[in-house]
Amino acid sequence: MSRGTRVWLRNLAGASAVALAAACAGGGGSGGGASLPAAPEPLPAVDTTPVALGNTTSALPEHWMHGAFMEIYVRGYQDSDGDGIGDLKGLTQRLDYLKDLGITGIWLMPVTQSLDNNHGYAVSNYRAIEAQYGTLADFDELLRQAHLRGIGVIVDYVVNHSASNHPAFVNSRATAGNPYRDWYVWQTGKPAGWSIFGSDPWRSAASGFYFAPFSADMPDFNLLNPGVVAWHHDNLRFWLNRGVDGFRFDAVGHLVENGPANWNNQPQNYPIMNAVRSLVGGYQHRYLVCEAPGDPKGFAAPGACGAAFAFGQQLDVVRAAKGDSAAIRAAGNYFLDAPATLATMLSNHDAFAGARAWDQFNGNLAQYKLAAATYLLQPGTPFIYYGEEIGMAGGAGLGGDTALRTPMSWTADPLRGGFTTGTPFRALSANVATQNVESQLADGNSIRAFYRSLLTLRQARPSIARGGYDQVEVRGSVLRFRRWLGSEESIVAINYGQAPSTLEMAGLTPGFVARIVFAQHAAPDTITVDVGGNLTLPLPAQSVVVLGR
């Protein structure tokens, strides 16, 4: 509050109610009177409380992050109180389901207080939980219960921008001389020549033009300001000290802009994220992964995030599962020169990454399972989008991102889907009647059963969870590769074709007996290398087999 405002309030307090009423009414006489000046609206306080390094130990084993993650939209997962909106208590109630599936990590889309009250990426308070989701106590209990089940929890962190109602931006927007002005990106006049995502990123305000490429409600931070970076670091320690197991960082390609033609993946972005990686690395067994569609491999490098989503690779996996020969080769070769720290997926909460897997495959179960096997058995940390494991389709009658962020299909109930006892906040999946958890649990050949068997295999074989990758070979529609760690080897063969084929390997030790550790169809328990050092194994159409020693 300014000194002038304090003086105005002190003088006002001395006026009688009658005089105040008369003044506000223009004096009440025929001659009228002067109105009192409008009081300046007080600016909100910005929480810049420093957060020191707290308890750095972890409740989880060292390699927990090499299992499989489930990406969860809390609003759409499970409602515990009947208001039609998913919440933290509801998610906590479903942890046993996730553990049984074989999930060892959860990525929560934003759960912090937001302006949008929907997707959560317009953050209005970085140290508070969205009220519709619950409280900090509910969040702490979720962490405790997840850790008891060996499940880590990472949270979405929006480092690039805040909400327009965030106290820091409200201050920044007030005047050009406000102490928080330089926390955001401002220009006195509107810069020319800019176009991002097909629109002008500069937004008009009374005190100038601010930079907000995603929307007017999401102004970009000035991440060249050391004070802003230090504040973000304090926010990260706030959550790490509570026991959070890491973060997914949003839009790291957009942190710094150097002009109309240089606004994505700028050189300054990488050291900014490397500093964050160093901070998170000061806590035991923590994990971070970045969203950087324009440069996944660059941000996955040690000089940046150290891990990033493998955008683009999912397209090859989907096409390979449909039998595209060029895509089979591309999918097989991807990790020959890509960091094993990349995070893989079939789709996620953003439409630009692709529709839900069910819709991409038009319900073709054989292709669906081939795609799942490819990314769950290759290197990288797999992220399953909630509902993918049961074949959820997009929301009925919905489009864009909204169609991807619908209530989880727990039962066949056409009105509520087992998600709530009230009215769901959004339309259910278009195939809730057939693709739901309840029906899949009763079907040993379901998509969920297939995912569970693959995740069980990952947990049982470190060579698949975190091992090396080589001996890639494509013959016709068959992809073969080796995963290895120490003395353990896993040979994966996938026949994407619609006709039977054969796995053929030469140069092996005669008489060596290989175990078949996973087979989608009936197969012998073992197979023996012949006297010439050759191994031959029939592969049914659209099938997966894993040999191990």
Side-chain angles (χ1 to χ4, degrees):
M1 185 183 299
S2 70
R3 180 178 180 274
T5 303
R6 289 196 297 268
V7 170
W8 188 91
L9 289 172
R10 187 169 60 247
N11 292 340
L12 179 60
S16 68
V18 174
L20 176 60
C24 292
S30 58
S35 327
L36 284 173
E41 185 146 343
L43 294 172
V46 182
D47 185 358
T48 56
T49 306
V51 180
L53 188 75
N55 180 10
T56 62
T57 60
S58 172
L60 300 173
E62 179 182 2
H63 297 297
W64 71 269
M65 71 288 292
H66 295 291
F69 278 75
M70 183 70 75
E71 179 193 352
I72 292 178
Y73 177 44
V74 171
R75 181 173 294 269
Y77 204 64
Q78 180 65 64
D79 172 24
S80 71
D81 57 11
D83 66 355
I85 295 172
D87 47 51
L88 294 172
K89 287 183 177 179
L91 171 55
T92 302
Q93 293 168 6
R94 294 296 187 177
L95 289 175
D96 285 336
Y97 166 80
L98 295 168
K99 179 176 175 59
D100 179 71
L101 181 62
I103 296 300
T104 63
I106 298 171
W107 157 25
L108 301 182
M109 288 174 61
V111 294
T112 41
Q113 183 178 311
S114 70
L115 170 63
D116 58 84
N117 300 124
N118 184 347
H119 54 78
Y121 287 101
V123 182
S124 56
N125 189 334
Y126 280 80
R127 302 182 190 181
I129 294 292
E130 180 70 54
Q132 292 177 326
Y133 295 167
T135 64
L136 278 171
D138 295 332
F139 182 82
D140 292 341
E141 180 64 9
L142 169 64
L143 284 181
R144 189 179 76 84
Q145 293 294 338
H147 291 164
L148 287 174
R149 293 162 174 80
I151 298 174
V153 179
I154 68 171
V155 296
D156 225 317
Y157 191 88
V158 187
V159 65
N160 178 70
H161 54 264
S162 76
S164 59
N165 69 341
H166 190 283
F169 186 72
V170 174
N171 277 266
S172 181
R173 185 179 55 200
T175 64
N178 188 281
Y180 290 97
R181 182 67 164 191
D182 196 43
W183 274 45
Y184 295 83
V185 180
W186 287 91
Q187 292 290 334
T188 303
K190 186 175 185 179
W194 285 78
S195 178
I196 298 179
F197 310 132
S199 63
D200 191 333
W202 293 97
R203 318 289 179 163
S204 176
S207 61
F209 293 86
Y210 64 95
F211 188 76
F214 289 98
S215 85
D217 287 333
M218 294 189 282
D220 270 27
F221 284 111
N222 174 14
L223 290 166
L224 297 179
N225 182 336
V228 174
V229 173
W231 175 77
H232 275 304
H233 287 189
D234 281 327
N235 293 336
L236 296 175
R237 281 187 288 267
F238 173 86
W239 293 106
L240 289 166
N241 291 348
R242 300 192 85 88
V244 161
D245 302 293
F247 303 93
R248 177 266 190 185
F249 283 89
D250 182 64
V252 300
H254 299 278
L255 305 185
V256 175
E257 294 75 27
N258 291 312
N262 300 288
W263 52 266
N264 197 19
N265 302 324
Q266 296 303 292
Q268 300 95 326
N269 298 1
Y270 301 85
I272 288 173
M273 292 313 303
N274 189 41
V276 167
R277 187 172 74 93
S278 179
L279 184 156
V280 175
Y283 291 77
Q284 185 184 45
H285 303 164
R286 299 313 204 268
Y287 173 74
L288 71 87
V289 62
C290 289
E291 180 202 34
D295 187 17
K297 295 178 182 179
F299 278 98
C305 301
F309 286 96
F311 284 100
Q313 191 251 3
Q314 87 277 14
L315 303 178
D316 286 328
V317 171
V318 169
R319 286 193 289 260
K322 295 178 179 180
D324 183 297
S325 57
I328 294 171
R329 191 169 298 278
N333 291 339
Y334 184 82
F335 277 102
L336 291 177
D337 64 354
T341 55
L342 283 163
T344 55
M345 61 182 172
L346 290 184
S347 65
N348 65 17
H349 63 285
D350 283 323
F352 77 80
R356 277 196 171 271
W358 178 272
D359 297 318
Q360 293 192 61
F361 294 115
N362 295 314
N364 187 311
L365 297 183
Q367 294 177 354
Y368 201 125
K369 292 178 179 180
L370 290 172
T374 304
Y375 93 101
L376 293 176
L377 297 175
Q378 281 192 314
T381 298
F383 278 74
I384 300 166
Y385 189 39
Y386 80 99
E388 176 190 317
E389 79 281 8
I390 59 169
M392 265 180 64
L398 302 176
D401 293 346
T402 304
L404 307 177
R405 307 173 190 180
T406 57
M408 177 69 175
S409 300
W410 296 103
T411 72
D413 178 357
L415 298 179
R416 301 178 179 86
F419 163 73
T420 182
T421 58
T423 301
F425 72 98
R426 184 170 290 160
L428 302 181
S429 165
N431 63 0
V432 63
T434 58
Q435 303 302 125
N436 57 77
V437 171
E438 187 175 61
S439 64
Q440 298 251 318
L441 287 173
D443 180 2
N445 293 315
S446 68
I447 297 174
R448 184 190 182 279
F450 187 72
Y451 270 75
R452 187 174 184 273
S453 62
L454 288 172
L455 297 182
T456 299
L457 182 67
R458 280 185 64 93
Q459 291 183 346
R461 298 191 66 79
S463 59
I464 295 176
R466 61 181 193 277
Y469 182 76
D470 60 12
Q471 298 184 13
V472 177
E473 181 180 77
V474 177
R475 289 188 181 181
S477 295
V478 175
L479 167 65
R480 186 195 81 201
F481 54 84
R482 181 179 77 136
R483 305 297 311 280
W484 58 271
L485 185 67
S487 61
E488 182 184 277
E489 290 184 274
S490 300
I491 303 296
V492 178
I494 305 175
N495 179 9
Y496 297 99
Q498 297 187 38
S501 189
T502 305
L503 169 65
E504 298 177 351
M505 299 177 64
L508 304 177
T509 304
F512 174 74
V513 179
R515 291 187 302 119
I516 296 181
V517 296
F518 178 87
Q520 194 173 353
H521 299 82
D525 293 334
T526 61
I527 184 167
T528 303
V529 177
D530 67 21
V531 293
N534 301 305
L535 181 151
T536 303
L537 179 66
L539 292 176
Q542 297 180 305
S543 68
V544 181
V545 66
V546 182
L547 307 179
R549 73 166 182 179

